[in-house]
PDB file of all heavy atoms in Angstrom:
ATOM      1  N   GLY C1520      75.664  76.065 111.766  1.00  0.00           N
ATOM      2  CA  GLY C1520      75.835  77.362 112.406  1.00  0.00           C
ATOM      3  C   GLY C1520      74.540  77.869 113.019  1.00  0.00           C
ATOM      4  O   GLY C1520      74.534  78.446 114.120  1.00  0.00           O
ATOM      5  N   GLN C1521      73.428  77.648 112.335  1.00  0.00           N
ATOM      6  CA  GLN C1521      72.129  78.060 112.869  1.00  0.00           C
ATOM      7  C   GLN C1521      71.787  77.270 114.131  1.00  0.00           C
ATOM      8  O   GLN C1521      71.294  77.831 115.113  1.00  0.00           O
ATOM      9  CB  GLN C1521      71.051  77.865 111.808  1.00  0.00           C
ATOM     10  CG  GLN C1521      71.189  78.791 110.602  1.00  0.00           C
ATOM     11  CD  GLN C1521      70.091  78.565 109.568  1.00  0.00           C
ATOM     12  OE1 GLN C1521      68.923  78.365 109.919  1.00  0.00           O
ATOM     13  NE2 GLN C1521      70.451  78.573 108.299  1.00  0.00           N
ATOM     14  N   LYS C1522      72.056  75.971 114.099  1.00  0.00           N
ATOM     15  CA  LYS C1522      71.772  75.142 115.274  1.00  0.00           C
ATOM     16  C   LYS C1522      72.625  75.572 116.467  1.00  0.00           C
ATOM     17  O   LYS C1522      72.128  75.692 117.594  1.00  0.00           O
ATOM     18  CB  LYS C1522      72.031  73.669 114.949  1.00  0.00           C
ATOM     19  CG  LYS C1522      71.082  73.084 113.915  1.00  0.00           C
ATOM     20  CD  LYS C1522      71.476  71.644 113.581  1.00  0.00           C
ATOM     21  CE  LYS C1522      70.583  71.068 112.489  1.00  0.00           C
ATOM     22  NZ  LYS C1522      71.006  69.700 112.099  1.00  0.00           N
ATOM     23  N   LEU C1523      73.897  75.813 116.228  1.00  0.00           N
ATOM     24  CA  LEU C1523      74.788  76.219 117.312  1.00  0.00           C
ATOM     25  C   LEU C1523      74.400  77.583 117.863  1.00  0.00           C
ATOM     26  O   LEU C1523      74.430  77.799 119.083  1.00  0.00           O
ATOM     27  CB  LEU C1523      76.236  76.238 116.822  1.00  0.00           C
ATOM     28  CG  LEU C1523      77.289  76.632 117.865  1.00  0.00           C
ATOM     29  CD1 LEU C1523      77.235  75.724 119.084  1.00  0.00           C
ATOM     30  CD2 LEU C1523      78.679  76.624 117.249  1.00  0.00           C
ATOM     31  N   THR C1524      74.004  78.492 116.996  1.00  0.00           N
ATOM     32  CA  THR C1524      73.595  79.826 117.445  1.00  0.00           C
ATOM     33  C   THR C1524      72.373  79.742 118.349  1.00  0.00           C
ATOM     34  O   THR C1524      72.308  80.415 119.394  1.00  0.00           O
ATOM     35  CB  THR C1524      73.311  80.731 116.230  1.00  0.00           C
ATOM     36  OG1 THR C1524      74.495  80.842 115.425  1.00  0.00           O
ATOM     37  CG2 THR C1524      72.880  82.120 116.677  1.00  0.00           C
ATOM     38  N   ARG C1525      71.402  78.915 117.972  1.00  0.00           N
ATOM     39  CA  ARG C1525      70.215  78.753 118.816  1.00  0.00           C
ATOM     40  C   ARG C1525      70.573  78.114 120.149  1.00  0.00           C
ATOM     41  O   ARG C1525      70.057  78.506 121.206  1.00  0.00           O
ATOM     42  CB  ARG C1525      69.164  77.908 118.079  1.00  0.00           C
ATOM     43  CG  ARG C1525      68.499  78.635 116.909  1.00  0.00           C
ATOM     44  CD  ARG C1525      67.262  77.890 116.429  1.00  0.00           C
ATOM     45  NE  ARG C1525      67.587  76.590 115.866  1.00  0.00           N
ATOM     46  CZ  ARG C1525      67.798  76.383 114.562  1.00  0.00           C
ATOM     47  NH1 ARG C1525      67.736  77.397 113.712  1.00  0.00           N
ATOM     48  NH2 ARG C1525      68.067  75.176 114.115  1.00  0.00           N
ATOM     49  N   LEU C1526      71.459  77.137 120.109  1.00  0.00           N
ATOM     50  CA  LEU C1526      71.872  76.462 121.342  1.00  0.00           C
ATOM     51  C   LEU C1526      72.609  77.417 122.273  1.00  0.00           C
ATOM     52  O   LEU C1526      72.397  77.393 123.502  1.00  0.00           O
ATOM     53  CB  LEU C1526      72.749  75.265 120.985  1.00  0.00           C
ATOM     54  CG  LEU C1526      73.036  74.243 122.103  1.00  0.00           C
ATOM     55  CD1 LEU C1526      71.739  73.700 122.684  1.00  0.00           C
ATOM     56  CD2 LEU C1526      73.897  73.107 121.560  1.00  0.00           C
ATOM     57  N   LEU C1527      73.448  78.278 121.703  1.00  0.00           N
ATOM     58  CA  LEU C1527      74.173  79.257 122.514  1.00  0.00           C
ATOM     59  C   LEU C1527      73.238  80.295 123.120  1.00  0.00           C
ATOM     60  O   LEU C1527      73.475  80.784 124.223  1.00  0.00           O
ATOM     61  CB  LEU C1527      75.246  79.946 121.657  1.00  0.00           C
ATOM     62  CG  LEU C1527      76.476  79.090 121.312  1.00  0.00           C
ATOM     63  CD1 LEU C1527      77.288  79.749 120.208  1.00  0.00           C
ATOM     64  CD2 LEU C1527      77.331  78.873 122.545  1.00  0.00           C
ATOM     65  N   ALA C1528      72.169  80.617 122.408  1.00  0.00           N
ATOM     66  CA  ALA C1528      71.194  81.552 122.956  1.00  0.00           C
ATOM     67  C   ALA C1528      70.450  80.936 124.140  1.00  0.00           C
ATOM     68  O   ALA C1528      70.098  81.630 125.100  1.00  0.00           O
ATOM     69  CB  ALA C1528      70.209  81.967 121.861  1.00  0.00           C
ATOM     70  N   PHE C1529      70.239  79.620 124.073  1.00  0.00           N
ATOM     71  CA  PHE C1529      69.530  78.914 125.140  1.00  0.00           C
ATOM     72  C   PHE C1529      70.449  78.618 126.328  1.00  0.00           C
ATOM     73  O   PHE C1529      70.041  78.688 127.490  1.00  0.00           O
ATOM     74  CB  PHE C1529      68.940  77.611 124.583  1.00  0.00           C
ATOM     75  CG  PHE C1529      68.126  76.830 125.567  1.00  0.00           C
ATOM     76  CD1 PHE C1529      66.927  77.333 126.059  1.00  0.00           C
ATOM     77  CD2 PHE C1529      68.561  75.594 126.018  1.00  0.00           C
ATOM     78  CE1 PHE C1529      66.172  76.616 126.983  1.00  0.00           C
ATOM     79  CE2 PHE C1529      67.816  74.861 126.934  1.00  0.00           C
ATOM     80  CZ  PHE C1529      66.624  75.385 127.419  1.00  0.00           C
ATOM     81  N   ILE C1530      71.713  78.276 126.010  1.00  0.00           N
ATOM     82  CA  ILE C1530      72.703  77.963 127.061  1.00  0.00           C
ATOM     83  C   ILE C1530      73.944  78.820 126.798  1.00  0.00           C
ATOM     84  O   ILE C1530      74.884  78.378 126.109  1.00  0.00           O
ATOM     85  CB  ILE C1530      73.091  76.472 127.069  1.00  0.00           C
ATOM     86  CG1 ILE C1530      71.855  75.574 127.078  1.00  0.00           C
ATOM     87  CG2 ILE C1530      73.977  76.156 128.274  1.00  0.00           C
ATOM     88  CD1 ILE C1530      72.174  74.098 126.964  1.00  0.00           C
ATOM     89  N   PRO C1531      73.995  80.048 127.307  1.00  0.00           N
ATOM     90  CA  PRO C1531      75.129  80.934 127.021  1.00  0.00           C
ATOM     91  C   PRO C1531      76.474  80.346 127.444  1.00  0.00           C
ATOM     92  O   PRO C1531      77.489  80.591 126.796  1.00  0.00           O
ATOM     93  CB  PRO C1531      74.791  82.198 127.830  1.00  0.00           C
ATOM     94  CG  PRO C1531      73.303  82.159 127.992  1.00  0.00           C
ATOM     95  CD  PRO C1531      72.953  80.717 128.108  1.00  0.00           C
ATOM     96  N   GLN C1532      76.511  79.567 128.504  1.00  0.00           N
ATOM     97  CA  GLN C1532      77.763  78.957 128.978  1.00  0.00           C
ATOM     98  C   GLN C1532      77.916  77.529 128.454  1.00  0.00           C
ATOM     99  O   GLN C1532      78.338  76.623 129.186  1.00  0.00           O
ATOM    100  CB  GLN C1532      77.785  78.972 130.510  1.00  0.00           C
ATOM    101  CG  GLN C1532      77.774  80.354 131.122  1.00  0.00           C
ATOM    102  CD  GLN C1532      79.002  81.163 130.736  1.00  0.00           C
ATOM    103  OE1 GLN C1532      80.098  80.618 130.628  1.00  0.00           O
ATOM    104  NE2 GLN C1532      78.822  82.454 130.520  1.00  0.00           N
ATOM    105  N   LEU C1533      77.584  77.334 127.189  1.00  0.00           N
ATOM    106  CA  LEU C1533      77.599  75.995 126.600  1.00  0.00           C
ATOM    107  C   LEU C1533      78.983  75.349 126.699  1.00  0.00           C
ATOM    108  O   LEU C1533      79.088  74.164 127.019  1.00  0.00           O
ATOM    109  CB  LEU C1533      77.163  76.080 125.132  1.00  0.00           C
ATOM    110  CG  LEU C1533      77.080  74.750 124.377  1.00  0.00           C
ATOM    111  CD1 LEU C1533      75.981  73.878 124.956  1.00  0.00           C
ATOM    112  CD2 LEU C1533      76.852  74.995 122.886  1.00  0.00           C
ATOM    113  N   ALA C1534      80.043  76.102 126.419  1.00  0.00           N
ATOM    114  CA  ALA C1534      81.391  75.535 126.455  1.00  0.00           C
ATOM    115  C   ALA C1534      81.728  75.010 127.845  1.00  0.00           C
ATOM    116  O   ALA C1534      82.291  73.918 127.989  1.00  0.00           O
ATOM    117  CB  ALA C1534      82.414  76.589 126.025  1.00  0.00           C
ATOM    118  N   LEU C1535      81.362  75.764 128.865  1.00  0.00           N
ATOM    119  CA  LEU C1535      81.654  75.354 130.235  1.00  0.00           C
ATOM    120  C   LEU C1535      80.855  74.113 130.614  1.00  0.00           C
ATOM    121  O   LEU C1535      81.394  73.160 131.199  1.00  0.00           O
ATOM    122  CB  LEU C1535      81.327  76.505 131.197  1.00  0.00           C
ATOM    123  CG  LEU C1535      81.607  76.263 132.674  1.00  0.00           C
ATOM    124  CD1 LEU C1535      83.086  76.022 132.907  1.00  0.00           C
ATOM    125  CD2 LEU C1535      81.123  77.455 133.501  1.00  0.00           C
ATOM    126  N   VAL C1536      79.551  74.106 130.255  1.00  0.00           N
ATOM    127  CA  VAL C1536      78.671  72.992 130.620  1.00  0.00           C
ATOM    128  C   VAL C1536      79.097  71.700 129.922  1.00  0.00           C
ATOM    129  O   VAL C1536      79.270  70.655 130.568  1.00  0.00           O
ATOM    130  CB  VAL C1536      77.204  73.331 130.276  1.00  0.00           C
ATOM    131  CG1 VAL C1536      76.310  72.106 130.483  1.00  0.00           C
ATOM    132  CG2 VAL C1536      76.712  74.500 131.117  1.00  0.00           C
ATOM    133  N   VAL C1537      79.278  71.761 128.615  1.00  0.00           N
ATOM    134  CA  VAL C1537      79.624  70.553 127.865  1.00  0.00           C
ATOM    135  C   VAL C1537      81.031  70.088 128.218  1.00  0.00           C
ATOM    136  O   VAL C1537      81.300  68.887 128.310  1.00  0.00           O
ATOM    137  CB  VAL C1537      79.483  70.796 126.350  1.00  0.00           C
ATOM    138  CG1 VAL C1537      79.914  69.560 125.559  1.00  0.00           C
ATOM    139  CG2 VAL C1537      78.045  71.161 126.005  1.00  0.00           C
ATOM    140  N   GLY C1538      81.937  71.030 128.428  1.00  0.00           N
ATOM    141  CA  GLY C1538      83.280  70.658 128.839  1.00  0.00           C
ATOM    142  C   GLY C1538      83.284  69.899 130.155  1.00  0.00           C
ATOM    143  O   GLY C1538      84.004  68.909 130.312  1.00  0.00           O
ATOM    144  N   PHE C1539      82.461  70.359 131.105  1.00  0.00           N
ATOM    145  CA  PHE C1539      82.351  69.670 132.396  1.00  0.00           C
ATOM    146  C   PHE C1539      81.762  68.277 132.216  1.00  0.00           C
ATOM    147  O   PHE C1539      82.262  67.300 132.789  1.00  0.00           O
ATOM    148  CB  PHE C1539      81.480  70.492 133.339  1.00  0.00           C
ATOM    149  CG  PHE C1539      81.171  69.788 134.636  1.00  0.00           C
ATOM    150  CD1 PHE C1539      82.129  69.692 135.641  1.00  0.00           C
ATOM    151  CD2 PHE C1539      79.917  69.219 134.851  1.00  0.00           C
ATOM    152  CE1 PHE C1539      81.847  69.024 136.832  1.00  0.00           C
ATOM    153  CE2 PHE C1539      79.626  68.559 136.037  1.00  0.00           C
ATOM    154  CZ  PHE C1539      80.596  68.468 137.033  1.00  0.00           C
ATOM    155  N   LEU C1540      80.712  68.152 131.406  1.00  0.00           N
ATOM    156  CA  LEU C1540      80.088  66.850 131.183  1.00  0.00           C
ATOM    157  C   LEU C1540      81.059  65.878 130.506  1.00  0.00           C
ATOM    158  O   LEU C1540      81.072  64.681 130.811  1.00  0.00           O
ATOM    159  CB  LEU C1540      78.827  67.014 130.333  1.00  0.00           C
ATOM    160  CG  LEU C1540      77.662  67.763 130.993  1.00  0.00           C
ATOM    161  CD1 LEU C1540      76.513  67.946 130.011  1.00  0.00           C
ATOM    162  CD2 LEU C1540      77.183  67.011 132.243  1.00  0.00           C
ATOM    163  N   ALA C1541      81.880  66.396 129.584  1.00  0.00           N
ATOM    164  CA  ALA C1541      82.857  65.534 128.903  1.00  0.00           C
ATOM    165  C   ALA C1541      83.883  64.995 129.885  1.00  0.00           C
ATOM    166  O   ALA C1541      84.274  63.822 129.818  1.00  0.00           O
ATOM    167  CB  ALA C1541      83.545  66.318 127.789  1.00  0.00           C
ATOM    168  N   ARG C1542      84.302  65.813 130.813  1.00  0.00           N
ATOM    169  CA  ARG C1542      85.287  65.364 131.799  1.00  0.00           C
ATOM    170  C   ARG C1542      84.680  64.321 132.744  1.00  0.00           C
ATOM    171  O   ARG C1542      85.350  63.361 133.126  1.00  0.00           O
ATOM    172  CB  ARG C1542      85.812  66.564 132.595  1.00  0.00           C
ATOM    173  CG  ARG C1542      86.621  67.555 131.752  1.00  0.00           C
ATOM    174  CD  ARG C1542      87.427  68.491 132.621  1.00  0.00           C
ATOM    175  NE  ARG C1542      88.456  67.750 133.345  1.00  0.00           N
ATOM    176  CZ  ARG C1542      89.243  68.308 134.258  1.00  0.00           C
ATOM    177  NH1 ARG C1542      89.088  69.596 134.573  1.00  0.00           N
ATOM    178  NH2 ARG C1542      90.155  67.591 134.871  1.00  0.00           N
ATOM    179  N   VAL C1543      83.413  64.512 133.102  1.00  0.00           N
ATOM    180  CA  VAL C1543      82.740  63.528 133.950  1.00  0.00           C
ATOM    181  C   VAL C1543      82.608  62.198 133.198  1.00  0.00           C
ATOM    182  O   VAL C1543      82.880  61.121 133.747  1.00  0.00           O
ATOM    183  CB  VAL C1543      81.357  64.043 134.395  1.00  0.00           C
ATOM    184  CG1 VAL C1543      80.570  62.936 135.096  1.00  0.00           C
ATOM    185  CG2 VAL C1543      81.512  65.249 135.318  1.00  0.00           C
ATOM    186  N   LEU C1544      82.198  62.281 131.930  1.00  0.00           N
ATOM    187  CA  LEU C1544      82.013  61.078 131.117  1.00  0.00           C
ATOM    188  C   LEU C1544      83.313  60.293 130.992  1.00  0.00           C
ATOM    189  O   LEU C1544      83.334  59.070 131.203  1.00  0.00           O
ATOM    190  CB  LEU C1544      81.501  61.464 129.727  1.00  0.00           C
ATOM    191  CG  LEU C1544      81.378  60.322 128.708  1.00  0.00           C
ATOM    192  CD1 LEU C1544      80.297  59.339 129.134  1.00  0.00           C
ATOM    193  CD2 LEU C1544      81.071  60.872 127.314  1.00  0.00           C
ATOM    194  N   THR C1545      84.401  60.970 130.652  1.00  0.00           N
ATOM    195  CA  THR C1545      85.666  60.265 130.445  1.00  0.00           C
ATOM    196  C   THR C1545      86.246  59.740 131.762  1.00  0.00           C
ATOM    197  O   THR C1545      87.020  58.784 131.752  1.00  0.00           O
ATOM    198  CB  THR C1545      86.687  61.178 129.758  1.00  0.00           C
ATOM    199  OG1 THR C1545      86.813  62.419 130.501  1.00  0.00           O
ATOM    200  CG2 THR C1545      86.243  61.512 128.341  1.00  0.00           C
ATOM    201  N   ALA C1546      85.849  60.370 132.876  1.00  0.00           N
ATOM    202  CA  ALA C1546      86.305  59.867 134.180  1.00  0.00           C
ATOM    203  C   ALA C1546      85.563  58.592 134.570  1.00  0.00           C
ATOM    204  O   ALA C1546      86.116  57.724 135.251  1.00  0.00           O
ATOM    205  CB  ALA C1546      86.108  60.939 135.250  1.00  0.00           C
ATOM    206  N   LEU C1547      84.322  58.450 134.131  1.00  0.00           N
ATOM    207  CA  LEU C1547      83.496  57.306 134.512  1.00  0.00           C
ATOM    208  C   LEU C1547      83.584  56.142 133.527  1.00  0.00           C
ATOM    209  O   LEU C1547      83.402  54.988 133.918  1.00  0.00           O
ATOM    210  CB  LEU C1547      82.032  57.749 134.649  1.00  0.00           C
ATOM    211  CG  LEU C1547      81.728  58.778 135.751  1.00  0.00           C
ATOM    212  CD1 LEU C1547      80.256  59.177 135.691  1.00  0.00           C
ATOM    213  CD2 LEU C1547      82.076  58.213 137.119  1.00  0.00           C
ATOM    214  N   VAL C1548      83.826  56.449 132.258  1.00  0.00           N
ATOM    215  CA  VAL C1548      83.819  55.414 131.222  1.00  0.00           C
ATOM    216  C   VAL C1548      85.239  54.899 131.011  1.00  0.00           C
ATOM    217  O   VAL C1548      86.160  55.683 130.753  1.00  0.00           O
ATOM    218  CB  VAL C1548      83.254  55.969 129.899  1.00  0.00           C
ATOM    219  CG1 VAL C1548      83.339  54.909 128.796  1.00  0.00           C
ATOM    220  CG2 VAL C1548      81.816  56.428 130.088  1.00  0.00           C
ATOM    221  N   PRO C1549      85.462  53.594 131.105  1.00  0.00           N
ATOM    222  CA  PRO C1549      86.801  53.026 130.854  1.00  0.00           C
ATOM    223  C   PRO C1549      87.286  53.367 129.441  1.00  0.00           C
ATOM    224  O   PRO C1549      86.479  53.527 128.512  1.00  0.00           O
ATOM    225  CB  PRO C1549      86.590  51.521 131.013  1.00  0.00           C
ATOM    226  CG  PRO C1549      85.357  51.396 131.859  1.00  0.00           C
ATOM    227  CD  PRO C1549      84.491  52.567 131.495  1.00  0.00           C
ATOM    228  N   GLY C1550      88.602  53.465 129.275  1.00  0.00           N
ATOM    229  CA  GLY C1550      89.173  53.860 127.994  1.00  0.00           C
ATOM    230  C   GLY C1550      88.761  52.966 126.845  1.00  0.00           C
ATOM    231  O   GLY C1550      88.458  53.443 125.749  1.00  0.00           O
ATOM    232  N   ALA C1551      88.724  51.663 127.072  1.00  0.00           N
ATOM    233  CA  ALA C1551      88.363  50.739 125.996  1.00  0.00           C
ATOM    234  C   ALA C1551      86.923  50.944 125.554  1.00  0.00           C
ATOM    235  O   ALA C1551      86.611  50.915 124.353  1.00  0.00           O
ATOM    236  CB  ALA C1551      88.568  49.304 126.462  1.00  0.00           C
ATOM    237  N   LEU C1552      86.016  51.154 126.525  1.00  0.00           N
ATOM    238  CA  LEU C1552      84.615  51.391 126.187  1.00  0.00           C
ATOM    239  C   LEU C1552      84.455  52.730 125.465  1.00  0.00           C
ATOM    240  O   LEU C1552      83.669  52.837 124.511  1.00  0.00           O
ATOM    241  CB  LEU C1552      83.759  51.363 127.456  1.00  0.00           C
ATOM    242  CG  LEU C1552      82.259  51.656 127.270  1.00  0.00           C
ATOM    243  CD1 LEU C1552      81.639  50.680 126.268  1.00  0.00           C
ATOM    244  CD2 LEU C1552      81.533  51.596 128.610  1.00  0.00           C
ATOM    245  N   LEU C1553      85.186  53.742 125.909  1.00  0.00           N
ATOM    246  CA  LEU C1553      85.121  55.048 125.250  1.00  0.00           C
ATOM    247  C   LEU C1553      85.523  54.924 123.791  1.00  0.00           C
ATOM    248  O   LEU C1553      84.843  55.468 122.900  1.00  0.00           O
ATOM    249  CB  LEU C1553      86.035  56.038 125.965  1.00  0.00           C
ATOM    250  CG  LEU C1553      86.140  57.428 125.330  1.00  0.00           C
ATOM    251  CD1 LEU C1553      84.798  58.154 125.380  1.00  0.00           C
ATOM    252  CD2 LEU C1553      87.218  58.259 126.026  1.00  0.00           C
ATOM    253  N   ARG C1554      86.556  54.190 123.508  1.00  0.00           N
ATOM    254  CA  ARG C1554      87.010  54.028 122.131  1.00  0.00           C
ATOM    255  C   ARG C1554      86.018  53.216 121.306  1.00  0.00           C
ATOM    256  O   ARG C1554      85.829  53.484 120.117  1.00  0.00           O
ATOM    257  CB  ARG C1554      88.405  53.404 122.118  1.00  0.00           C
ATOM    258  CG  ARG C1554      89.486  54.413 122.507  1.00  0.00           C
ATOM    259  CD  ARG C1554      90.752  53.778 123.055  1.00  0.00           C
ATOM    260  NE  ARG C1554      91.775  54.786 123.325  1.00  0.00           N
ATOM    261  CZ  ARG C1554      91.747  55.601 124.394  1.00  0.00           C
ATOM    262  NH1 ARG C1554      90.754  55.535 125.287  1.00  0.00           N
ATOM    263  NH2 ARG C1554      92.719  56.493 124.576  1.00  0.00           N
TER     264      ARG C1554
END
Side-chain angles (χ1 to χ4, degrees):
Q1521 293 180 41
K1522 294 176 183 177
L1523 181 57
T1524 300
R1525 289 193 295 267
L1526 193 56
L1527 287 166
F1529 183 66
I1530 310 175
Q1532 297 298 323
L1533 182 66
L1535 182 62
V1536 173
V1537 177
F1539 173 76
L1540 293 176
R1542 294 196 66 185
V1543 171
L1544 175 66
T1545 53
L1547 296 176
V1548 176
L1552 178 57
L1553 176 65
R1554 285 156 176 76

